[in-house]
Amino acid sequence: MPVKFTLNKGKVPVKIYTDEFDSNSLDQLGNLAQLPFIHSHIAAMPDVHAGIGATVGSVIPTKGAIIPAAVGVDIGCGMNAVRLSLKANQLPDSLRHVRNAIEAKVPVGFDSHKYNAVKASTLKQMDAGLKPIIDKHTGLTKMVKHFHHTWGKQLGSLGGGNHFIELCVDEADDVWIMLHSGSRGIGNAIGRYFISRAQKEMGNLLGHLPHKDLAYFEEGTKYFDDYIEAVGWAQDYATINRREMMRLVTSAIQPHLPAFTATKEAINCHHNYVARENHFGAEVYLTRKGAISAYQGELGIIPGSMGERSFIVRGLGNETSFCSCSHGAGRVMSRSKAKKLFDADDLAKQTDGVECRKDKGVVDEIPGAYKNIDTVMANQSDLVEIVHTLKQVVCVKG
């Protein structure tokens, strides 16, 4: 569907692909639209909801400046999916051993590998890119415990919150592995460091912004270039993290399933990141805060919640959305509210048929805390087309 609501309370309009939004989201979007360096307009995806720094589900084109808090602290967070040669009828009746095997192989939550799980050549390459960043910003090393060991050992680990690993079945009964994670502790540290640095660098000008989280670096300044270098490194880290997790998950489930191979149909996409792109006649820094790239013919992943369907999609190249689409279902309530409203019994009912945790520790991720994924997909029918519909049968949460 086309744009359903346009907010005109700033220097540029905000074009929103849903009529399901709250006042906090509108306030955040309105604040963004007041900044002088926004190009053309801001697009808000159907899963839009209030976030920290900027609205989740927003696509923000900037000229001559960049807002670290709009990119956020889970830099490069995104999705990876691969189709296997297995059919649903080849899966065992009980998938508990499969879930246990994944959880034993891939650290979740705050955990990391005891030893580096990736090749030494990969670590060497990543370390070479990180060194000049650390040399200029030594304060980063104080933000992560055992900094130089931790980032390496977290490669190939899940994290917590809404990150997950799933085994899914599509409309043709093909089995998929799908996972969601980002740049772990090092990405979080880079995000927090440069958000704080932007606020300090603005000095007295910070008080003239609609919100302090909209502090920015101007292009051509030292910190602008340093941030671009650091955020690029973190996005690469996130891609490698998902790639290594996919490798570990594949090896973990092999002993518990019939022999299989991974097909060539694999997708790895960010949904919290910044990229240099051309839109509406200008080169811009395009920040996708909870949104994925959806250029014409481009494959992407839009997950539902831990009890709902997910989708492999193909972009339609809609320029009004800056060739973007939603990154998921989008929350309708905070984690704290979900914990008050639902309990473990509710979670068990809403995840019936899925092999997953059903305890109070993950109640904040209950499907009822998210928007209806079918409505979200209907609201972006002119942004993407559905290629595959996936339903999880195993879900591993942090």
Side-chain angles (χ1 to χ4, degrees):
M1 295 181 68
V3 171
K4 301 190 76 171
F5 181 80
T6 300
L7 179 67
N8 291 298
K9 290 188 177 180
K11 297 180 183 298
V12 298
V14 180
K15 300 182 180 183
I16 306 175
Y17 283 84
T18 180
D19 52 13
E20 294 182 0
F21 44 75
D22 57 33
S23 59
N24 290 335
S25 298
L26 288 183
D27 288 343
Q28 285 188 332
L29 290 167
N31 287 341
L32 271 171
Q34 294 180 44
L35 299 176
F37 47 80
I38 304 294
H39 175 63
S40 179
H41 64 278
I42 295 167
M45 301 296 98
D47 59 340
V48 65
H49 58 282
I52 299 173
T55 320
V56 179
S58 57
V59 185
I60 311 159
T62 58
K63 289 182 65 178
I66 198 164
I67 311 164
V71 180
V73 297
D74 198 359
I75 301 169
C77 185
M79 301 291 303
N80 195 187
V82 62
R83 184 167 58 173
L84 307 180
S85 59
L86 288 173
K87 288 290 186 179
N89 61 11
Q90 294 178 277
L91 297 176
D93 292 337
S94 174
L95 291 164
R96 176 63 61 86
H97 292 308
V98 173
R99 177 164 75 94
N100 290 344
I102 296 171
E103 291 173 340
K105 197 84 168 183
V106 180
V108 302
F110 291 106
D111 291 343
S112 60
H113 293 282
K114 292 182 180 179
Y115 306 97
N116 293 326
V118 302
K119 293 180 180 179
S121 58
T122 299
L123 286 175
K124 184 177 180 180
Q125 179 184 4
M126 294 301 294
D127 187 54
L130 181 61
K131 187 178 185 305
I133 298 169
I134 296 303
D135 286 346
K136 289 179 284 188
H137 300 280
T138 56
L140 275 169
T141 62
K142 301 174 183 178
M143 299 179 69
V144 177
K145 189 175 181 181
H146 306 305
F147 180 89
H148 292 289
H149 297 288
T150 299
W151 71 261
K153 291 180 180 178
Q154 285 190 336
L155 274 171
S157 66
L158 183 63
N162 61 354
H163 295 159
F164 63 79
I165 301 167
E166 291 184 345
L167 205 63
C168 305
V169 175
D170 72 10
E171 72 288 341
D173 284 339
D174 288 325
V175 177
W176 293 67
I177 301 172
M178 182 171 69
L179 55 85
H180 171 211
S181 190
S183 51
R184 302 295 282 110
I186 180 66
N188 182 282
I190 288 172
R192 288 186 291 117
Y193 177 88
F194 281 100
I195 289 169
S196 176
R197 177 54 60 187
Q199 292 173 350
K200 290 177 181 177
E201 286 300 301
M202 292 205 72
N204 293 333
L205 293 176
L206 188 65
H208 297 285
L209 292 176
H211 195 283
K212 69 175 184 177
D213 283 337
L214 299 181
Y216 57 87
F217 296 125
E218 290 188 287
E219 190 168 14
T221 63
K222 175 183 181 295
Y223 287 108
F224 182 97
D225 293 337
D226 289 354
Y227 178 68
I228 290 296
E229 181 182 18
V231 80
W233 184 91
Q235 288 170 190
D236 290 342
Y237 181 102
T239 298
I240 293 171
N241 184 44
R242 291 192 292 273
R243 183 192 71 195
E244 293 300 321
M245 261 196 295
M246 184 62 74
R247 179 181 62 82
L248 292 170
V249 172
T250 301
S251 65
I253 67 176
Q254 281 178 331
H256 304 280
L257 299 174
F260 66 85
T261 58
T263 72
K264 293 181 180 179
E265 189 172 14
I267 308 105
N268 196 336
C269 58
H270 295 318
H271 55 225
N272 279 356
Y273 72 111
V274 61
R276 188 77 167 168
E277 298 183 15
N278 191 299
H279 293 280
F280 294 98
E283 286 288 326
V284 299
Y285 288 95
L286 192 70
T287 297
R288 292 186 174 95
K289 169 82 167 182
I292 66 172
S293 180
Y295 278 89
Q296 182 71 43
E298 185 177 17
L299 291 177
I301 307 165
I302 302 176
S305 63
M306 63 187 291
E308 297 292 338
R309 297 180 298 165
S310 298
F311 300 89
I312 306 298
V313 298
R314 182 179 291 111
L316 297 179
N318 188 305
E319 184 58 27
T320 303
S321 72
F322 302 102
C323 299
S324 306
C325 67
S326 83
H327 82 311
R331 298 190 71 92
V332 292
M333 65 182 70
S334 67
R335 296 184 181 279
S336 58
K337 184 175 180 180
K339 289 178 180 179
K340 292 178 181 178
L341 192 61
F342 300 107
D343 59 23
D345 289 338
D346 297 317
L347 179 64
K349 292 175 184 176
Q350 293 186 29
T351 58
D352 184 44
V354 181
E355 175 56 51
C356 64
R357 286 178 59 185
K358 301 179 189 286
D359 57 83
K360 65 179 183 179
V362 290
V363 165
D364 56 336
E365 280 294 299
I366 193 169
Y370 284 83
K371 294 182 180 181
N372 180 281
I373 189 63
D374 292 324
T375 302
V376 169
M377 295 306 296
N379 284 336
Q380 56 188 333
S381 58
D382 59 344
L383 307 184
V384 293
E385 61 179 353
I386 296 171
V387 180
H388 296 293
T389 301
L390 279 56
K391 181 66 176 72
Q392 71 275 82
V393 290
V394 174
C395 179
V396 172
K397 298 289 293 186

